[in-house]
Amino acid sequence: MMQRILALLSPNRPWLHLVYLGFFFFAWLYQPPGWDEVVIGLVAMAGFVSLYIFSLRRCDWTVYPVALGAALLGLAFMPVTIGGGVYLVFAAAMLGWLPHSRARTVGLVAVALAILAAGWLTQQPLPYAAVLLILAAIAAGGAAMGARRRRQEADGEARQRRASDRAAEAERQRIARDLHDLLGHTLSVVTLKADLASRLFDAEPQRARSELAEIQSISRTALAEVREAVAGLRDRSLESATAEARQHLEAAGLAVSVELEADPATAEQSTALAMVVREAATNILRHAEARHVTIRTASLDGGIELSIGDDGRGGARTGSGGLGGLAARIEALSGWMLVGAVSPGTGTQVQAWLPGRGGGDHA
């Protein structure tokens, strides 16, 4: 909830610029208007605000007629109050939110000419028109920069979603292939042996029991292989999992730094840490909205420490899902795993530690 509120209050949000409409009332401070002027001014402003928010929520061709309306409001109110020029500044800002095009350039030039014409027709001093031109230029430039940043962020999020979807689809296909390869032959053998044991049950009970024992052994082996296939552990090491995670993250547009300065003591440890890397990378792709990821290992207290950090929005916790299961697996190997913020309110860091050969519990 707090993140949504902060997002709504971000200075990049165009509706926050409506606070500058307060300049419209500046002249009223030293020259109080009549009731008719107050009513007309407030009604016009309310209509403009409604159209402004509507058009900027869409950010399409509707911005042009609303910007034209804003410019006309400015031209209409400037002979009455110098604060009416704020509408011309808003017209420039609204055009700035649009992608660069000839139409936008023509619109901005038209706003500048309207400011000069209004200043001349209302016999305002030259500095007044100059100030309006400067404010309009600043508003248009700032809006253009903000719009470009928002489009870049949207493109980055879209790339991350596509990369996450591709990674998920690749994982589903891998599991399907592994299960087919593992179970096709195994289930065929189990079926044949079960049929054979059924036929031999009365005539040769000893041989039937032998076949049943083999079925039990094959089933246990198949179960272990299926678990490995589903968990993605077959022929996986920390190094290969890191390389795969780096590939997926970079494909999503993230910068990845890898520093593998220490190696696991056993294959089981390598498998466990590989799972941590894969789960952390998946969470970063799906949820973090990060730009940079660091994966490193280092020697610590006679063991190996793995750290995966990102500069995303943070908020990840161990919980009872994938990270919770991995924490239990790491603890079963006499290690520990922590999930927390890189710094207060930003990013997430996943740390896991496992002892070296002959190492015990870490205090």
Side-chain angles (χ1 to χ4, degrees):
M1 179 61 72
M2 182 57 66
Q3 290 179 346
R4 291 181 179 179
I5 294 175
L6 291 176
L8 289 174
L9 296 179
S10 168
N12 296 327
R13 299 293 181 179
W15 45 81
L16 285 184
H17 300 166
L18 291 172
V19 298
Y20 297 113
L21 283 174
F23 289 109
F24 178 82
F25 306 103
F26 179 74
W28 292 5
L29 296 177
Y30 60 88
Q31 186 177 356
W35 284 107
D36 54 342
E37 294 180 35
V38 172
V39 172
I40 293 173
L42 293 180
V43 170
M45 184 174 293
F48 166 74
V49 169
S50 300
L51 291 175
Y52 175 85
I53 294 177
F54 171 76
S55 65
L56 291 189
R57 284 178 64 89
R58 297 178 56 176
C59 274
D60 54 13
W61 64 269
T62 58
V63 172
Y64 288 104
V66 176
L68 175 60
L72 293 176
L73 281 175
L75 294 175
F77 278 99
M78 279 183 66
V80 180
T81 171
I82 61 173
V86 73
Y87 284 116
L88 290 163
V89 175
F90 265 94
M94 294 171 65
L95 293 172
W97 279 97
L98 294 171
H100 177 69
S101 66
R102 180 177 297 178
R104 189 187 75 164
T105 301
V106 171
L108 290 172
V109 171
V111 170
L113 293 176
I115 290 174
L116 293 174
W120 178 71
L121 291 174
T122 58
Q123 298 182 346
Q124 298 291 342
L126 184 61
Y128 174 76
V131 168
L132 280 184
L133 284 174
I134 293 172
L135 291 177
I138 293 174
M145 292 177 60
R148 183 167 60 250
R149 183 163 54 248
R150 288 181 65 188
R151 286 192 287 269
Q152 290 173 346
E153 291 174 355
D155 290 343
E157 292 174 0
R159 285 197 302 271
Q160 290 190 17
R161 285 194 297 270
R162 289 194 296 269
S164 178
D165 292 341
R166 287 195 297 268
E169 180 60 27
E171 186 70 1
R172 285 193 291 269
Q173 292 179 1
R174 182 196 62 76
I175 292 174
R177 289 193 301 268
D178 286 356
L179 290 179
H180 178 272
D181 295 341
L182 288 171
L183 296 181
H185 174 72
T186 301
L187 292 179
S188 297
V189 173
V190 168
T191 301
L192 291 173
K193 287 187 172 293
D195 290 342
L196 180 60
S198 178
R199 291 195 300 270
L200 295 174
F201 192 78
D202 293 327
E204 299 182 51
Q206 187 61 35
R207 185 178 173 188
R209 283 193 290 270
S210 176
E211 295 293 339
L212 290 174
E214 288 191 33
I215 290 174
Q216 289 178 329
S217 176
I218 293 171
S219 298
R220 291 193 186 97
T221 301
L223 179 61
E225 290 177 340
V226 168
R227 286 173 175 168
E228 291 179 350
V230 172
L233 303 179
R234 301 183 70 229
D235 302 324
R236 295 293 177 94
S237 65
L238 174 59
E239 184 176 359
S240 65
T242 301
E244 181 183 43
R246 182 175 193 170
Q247 179 182 356
H248 290 319
L249 292 168
E250 289 181 341
L254 281 72
V256 183
S257 301
V258 176
E259 301 173 13
L260 301 183
E261 300 175 355
D263 298 320
T266 66
E268 188 177 17
Q269 288 184 344
S270 182
T271 292
L273 295 178
M275 288 182 65
V276 175
V277 170
R278 293 177 67 248
E279 180 68 16
T282 299
N283 288 340
I284 291 171
L285 282 173
R286 291 179 177 174
H287 309 298
E289 301 179 4
R291 296 183 300 273
H292 185 266
V293 179
T294 300
I295 305 173
R296 68 176 185 86
T297 60
S299 297
L300 177 67
D301 296 336
I304 177 175
E305 181 192 40
L306 168 69
S307 175
I308 306 103
D310 67 75
D311 61 351
R313 62 181 183 179
R317 293 184 297 272
T318 303
S320 58
L323 290 175
L326 288 175
R329 184 181 182 91
I330 294 294
E331 290 171 2
L333 296 175
S334 300
W336 50 261
M337 187 172 118
L338 299 174
V339 179
V342 175
S343 60
T346 60
T348 297
Q349 181 159 291
V350 178
Q351 294 175 283
W353 178 88
L354 288 172
R357 292 187 182 277
D361 294 339
H362 175 65

